[in-house]
Amino acid sequence: MNKTEIIQKLNLTQHIEGGYFAETHRSLQEMRTQRDGEKRSVLTSIFYLLTDDSPIDYFHKNKSDIVHYFHTGWSITYLILHPNGRLEKQKLGSNLAAGEVLQLVVKGGCWKTAILEEGEYGLLGESVSPGFDFRDMQIADESLLYEFPHLQAEIKPYIQPSYVV
Ligand code: GUN
């Protein structure tokens, strides 16, 4: 299948971070978080797709650990910016011999960006607990550049342009 057929088949829509997504599961069971004591679904899961015409999932972070699962297509590069300023690079894909990983955990509090460097599309899954909620996520703006001045050149291309004044 090509990217257009995948978008239609999986009912994907454009994501504000870039790329396309669809929520595939939101548990009816709820929990209160240790952070703010407010209610969240226990678990959510999504499909997430990057394509050659929307190849960047711009820097953002979530308060909870997120597990990423490679599904199909071309591999996807992740840059993970840890709170201590370490920039980690990982490739989510199926070429295990080349060091790609089928699953990738990004810890809560780490900034992440995902990039489709080649190919028509890369499709992955993401699961998070407590379930996804906009109260728990933040999209990076240019203040990230001042928080990590030693990494400006590496991270600037992956800050959403509409968040840079
Ligand atoms: N709604 C908008 N963004 C997201 C996301 O990343 N995950 C889920 N589950 N829902 C969303």
Side-chain angles (χ1 to χ4, degrees):
M1 287 173 92
N2 63 35
K3 63 185 175 191
T4 310
E5 292 167 329
I6 290 178
I7 288 168
Q8 283 172 359
K9 185 83 180 167
L10 300 180
N11 277 319
L12 306 184
T13 56
Q14 279 188 318
H15 199 291
I16 50 167
E17 300 158 4
Y20 301 84
F21 87 113
E23 193 171 89
T24 54
H25 179 66
R26 175 170 289 271
S27 53
L28 293 176
Q29 218 181 332
E30 290 188 324
M31 62 191 286
R32 290 188 187 275
T33 70
Q34 288 179 337
R35 293 186 294 261
D36 58 12
E38 291 181 15
K39 278 188 181 173
R40 304 280 191 281
S41 292
V42 168
L43 177 78
T44 57
S45 189
I46 60 168
F47 283 129
Y48 185 73
L49 180 81
L50 288 174
T51 61
D52 49 10
D53 50 1
S54 187
I56 300 175
D57 177 26
Y58 290 100
F59 265 116
H60 60 284
K61 69 176 175 183
N62 195 288
K63 289 180 181 169
S64 301
D65 301 350
I66 297 186
V67 192
H68 304 71
Y69 307 89
F70 182 73
H71 285 328
T72 189
W74 284 258
S75 59
I76 291 174
T77 301
Y78 278 80
L79 296 179
I80 303 159
L81 178 50
H82 294 260
N84 68 1
R86 180 168 72 92
L87 191 64
E88 179 188 354
K89 190 170 176 174
Q90 294 279 356
K91 258 192 156 182
L92 189 70
S94 59
N95 191 348
L96 300 183
E100 296 178 358
V101 296
L102 288 165
Q103 295 190 4
L104 174 66
V105 178
V106 176
K107 294 291 237 177
C110 289
W111 293 99
K112 70 168 179 186
T113 179
I115 306 132
L116 181 73
E117 293 181 302
E118 59 170 338
E120 186 191 352
Y121 64 84
L123 178 68
L124 58 111
E126 292 186 27
S127 283
V128 63
S129 176
F132 179 86
D133 190 292
F134 278 107
R135 285 171 285 181
D136 301 326
M137 73 90 82
Q138 187 183 349
I139 297 185
D141 60 25
E142 63 184 353
S143 65
L144 197 63
L145 300 173
Y146 305 110
E147 205 178 320
F148 299 100
H150 63 297
L151 293 171
Q152 282 191 359
E154 283 106 314
I155 67 182
K156 193 169 181 192
Y158 309 115
I159 296 176
Q160 196 169 75
S162 59
Y163 283 63
V164 179
V165 283

